Amino acid sequence: DVGGFFGNPEPEMLVRWYQVGAFAPFFRAHAHLDTKRREPFLLDQPYKGIVKDILRLRYSLLPVWYTAFRETSVTGLPVL
């Protein structure tokens, strides 16, 4: 869970979560009902721009992930 599930991370920590999560095979940004909203568009600059760049990188890597998961489904070998 990018950003952690509980608590309210500072913007810099949230950016770090996105940076790490961009390279993980499973990536989702959500949190507990009692936490502050943390969608990237709610962040102030420069954090919003940094997360935007990270998300673009993540999307550019989707063909790699799809290929890796296809190979896993055929061979049974782990993705990472």
Side-chain angles (χ1 to χ4, degrees):
D1 295 331
V2 174
F5 191 69
F6 292 108
N8 299 302
E10 295 294 322
E12 187 168 331
M13 180 59 74
L14 189 58
V15 166
R16 299 294 182 203
W17 274 96
Y18 272 92
Q19 289 171 329
V20 170
F23 297 100
F26 188 72
F27 177 94
R28 66 179 176 184
H30 80 287
H32 191 266
L33 204 55
D34 294 330
T35 60
K36 288 180 6 182
R37 301 288 304 263
R38 55 173 85 158
E39 287 85 356
F41 63 84
L42 295 174
L43 295 171
D44 293 327
Q45 293 293 353
Y47 307 109
K48 185 189 309 185
I50 296 168
V51 171
K52 182 178 177 181
D53 291 341
I54 294 164
L55 291 174
R56 285 178 190 234
L57 175 61
R58 170 71 182 184
Y59 276 92
S60 75
L61 294 172
L62 283 181
V64 174
W65 289 116
Y66 280 107
T67 301
F69 279 106
R70 168 71 174 128
E71 287 295 315
T72 292
S73 71
V74 172
T75 66
L77 297 172
V79 172
L80 295 176

